Amino acid sequence: MRKQTLSLAIAALAGGLALGAQAQTDYQPQGLYSADDILDAGVYLTGDPDERVGEVENILFDEAMQITALVVESGSVLGLGGREFIVESGRFTLITDLENDGDAEHRVMLEASAEEIEGYPTYSDAWWAQAREHSREAWMQTQEGAESAWQATQEGAERAWDTTRENARRAWEAARDAVTPDE
């Protein structure tokens, strides 16, 4: 089996899942990735890439369809006693091994130690409700900010147009007065 490795940072595009790629060999990126392929992917620590911490149980998206976190289901390895925990975007990467038959195997690598993972929030109904409310509030603030920025831009453009028109009128009058003889 010929293996080529591609490290990917999980990112998102509106309307779908996309992964930014940085090739380590002559590997050509897949171009499209399925969330279904990433679900159940093994999760490992970058500091100990042979020790499996768990597997991807869920992928969490925000209103803009950007990945905000992974839910990882751990077993009893590293003293974690089997729980589902949250790993925020930016704290993990995706490694894709491409086999000769074209199949891809995905591994999620956590940028954390076993001690840090113990401090990650547990995925629960209470966590979900709180995270959803915070995300909704952030989304509403973003929309309000965008509307406010649009309104400020529109008002600024109107003021600039009025100022330009007034300056043009004054210039016209000054030019007219310069060529019109005094009576």
Side-chain angles (χ1 to χ4, degrees), residues 1-2 15 30 43 54 67 73 79 81 107 115 125 127 130 173 181:
M1 171 176 80
R2 179 180 68 113
Q30 284 180 244
V43 178
I67 295 172
E73 181 179 30
R107 293 169 51 115
E115 294 78 27
D125 290 339
W127 180 92
Q130 182 181 19
E173 289 173 356

Side-chain angles (χ1 to χ4, degrees), residues 2-10 19-25 27-33 37-38 41 93-99 102-109:
R2 179 180 68 113
K3 271 193 172 179
Q4 295 175 323
T5 303
L6 177 65
S7 291
L8 301 169
I10 294 198
L19 301 171
Q22 177 183 18
Q24 293 179 346
T25 64
Y27 174 76
Q28 294 297 313
Q30 284 180 244
L32 258 165
Y33 296 84
D37 290 342
I38 297 167
T93 56
L94 181 72
I95 305 290
T96 300
D97 292 325
L98 187 63
E99 299 174 5
D103 286 342
E105 180 183 327
H106 303 292
R107 293 169 51 115
V108 173
M109 305 302 292

Side-chain angles (χ1 to χ4, degrees), residues 25-176:
T25 64
D26 62 349
Y27 174 76
Q28 294 297 313
Q30 284 180 244
L32 258 165
Y33 296 84
S34 168
D36 191 47
D37 290 342
I38 297 167
L39 291 172
D40 297 327
V43 178
Y44 302 83
L45 301 177
T46 56
D48 191 2
D50 294 326
E51 183 71 40
R52 185 179 171 117
V53 174
E55 64 183 37
V56 176
E57 179 68 21
N58 204 346
I59 302 171
L60 305 179
F61 297 89
D62 63 12
E63 291 285 338
M65 296 307 296
Q66 294 183 351
I67 295 172
T68 61
L70 295 179
V71 177
V72 175
E73 181 179 30
S74 71
S76 59
V77 297
L78 301 174
L80 292 176
R83 70 181 182 113
E84 292 181 340
F85 59 91
I86 305 299
V87 181
E88 294 177 3
S89 182
R91 309 260 323 165
F92 56 88
T93 56
L94 181 72
I95 305 290
T96 300
D97 292 325
L98 187 63
E99 299 174 5
N100 283 334
D101 62 2
D103 286 342
E105 180 183 327
H106 303 292
R107 293 169 51 115
V108 173
M109 305 302 292
L110 299 184
E111 304 288 334
S113 67
E115 294 78 27
E116 289 173 317
I117 290 173
E118 288 179 27
Y120 284 2
T122 298
Y123 184 68
S124 65
D125 290 339
W127 180 92
W128 177 254
Q130 182 181 19
R132 201 168 70 187
E133 181 61 25
H134 286 299
S135 293
R136 188 189 68 76
E137 289 171 3
W139 181 253
M140 297 299 288
Q141 289 175 354
T142 299
Q143 284 182 316
E144 289 168 4
E147 289 171 9
S148 176
W150 172 250
Q151 186 175 19
T153 301
Q154 202 172 20
E155 290 169 359
E158 288 173 9
R159 283 192 305 273
W161 174 249
D162 291 342
T163 300
T164 302
R165 191 173 31 182
E166 179 61 25
N167 289 340
R169 185 188 60 77
R170 287 182 187 159
W172 167 253
E173 289 173 356
R176 183 192 64 208

